[in-house]
Amino acid sequence: MQLDTRTLNQQRQRVGDDESVWLFGYGSLIWKADFPYLERRRAFIRGWERRFWQGSHDHRGTPEAPGRVVTLIASPGTVCHGMAYRITGETLKPLDIREKNGYLRELTTLTFDDGSQDEGLVYLATEENPAYLGDAPLDAIAAHIDRAHGPSGANREYLLNLAGALRKLGIDDPHTFALADRVKGQDAIN
Ligand code: BEZ
């Protein structure tokens, strides 16, 4: 089931069309920034880890056969590295529409590579949203991703693009890399 978060997100942190805000990207936003931005900086947020635990009904899967995409799970003492974009409120609006399937915007503290900090937004899909899939054995998650397709393309492409982008940035992410290795291993078998 889809949770249409468009209205909820627009009511959460109001950002005027001409105001700017940092948006922290930890998933497709790392490798696919197909929107205008004022600045782009590497950043991390504390207390969160990336996991392929969110179901995708509208991008990398369908309501009948959801794909698996990333969300963040609370993990005290750890950090999640990604990419931050300073964008206008005008740019944020269409992102709320595009990422409407269960992701709610939260306000968080971003730390940039030079150690400076600022407040910013991050899209989070918690276990309360109906599309949430949660944990499963890595082999099962990899097999799931390997077979899922949606309007935005193959789920495996999302995983491999993210793994490639993280490797290029020198970001270690054992969960994503283990899944990417398994999906690539499937190619050798098939
Ligand atoms: C991200 O890359 O941070 C992201 C993209 C879409 C939905 C949620 C998060």
Side-chain angles (χ1 to χ4, degrees), residues 23-76:
L23 175 65
F24 178 77
Y26 57 90
S28 60
L29 293 177
I30 293 183
W31 53 272
K32 192 170 161 227
D34 54 356
F35 49 83
Y37 53 84
L38 306 166
E39 263 182 277
R40 179 182 197 255
R41 295 181 73 179
R42 284 187 59 161
F44 66 80
I45 58 174
R46 292 187 189 281
W48 297 98
E49 270 184 313
R50 197 174 357 247
R51 288 285 184 276
F52 276 78
W53 289 6
Q54 170 67 0
S56 175
H57 295 203
D58 55 354
H59 285 296
R60 300 291 171 167
T62 62
E64 298 72 35
R68 269 187 180 260
V69 290
V70 284
T71 184
L72 295 178
I73 55 151
S75 178

Side-chain angles (χ1 to χ4, degrees), residues 2-8 96-97 100-102:
Q2 288 203 33
L3 171 65
D4 190 331
T5 52
R6 271 179 285 199
T7 315
L8 287 173
D96 281 343
I97 294 167
K100 64 184 186 303
N101 183 200

Side-chain angles (χ1 to χ4, degrees), residues 82-104:
M83 199 59 82
Y85 300 88
R86 194 161 65 81
I87 59 172
T88 63
E90 196 181 359
T91 299
L92 185 61
K93 253 186 237 160
L95 291 177
D96 281 343
I97 294 167
R98 192 173 83 181
E99 308 309 340
K100 64 184 186 303
N101 183 200
Y103 289 96
L104 287 173

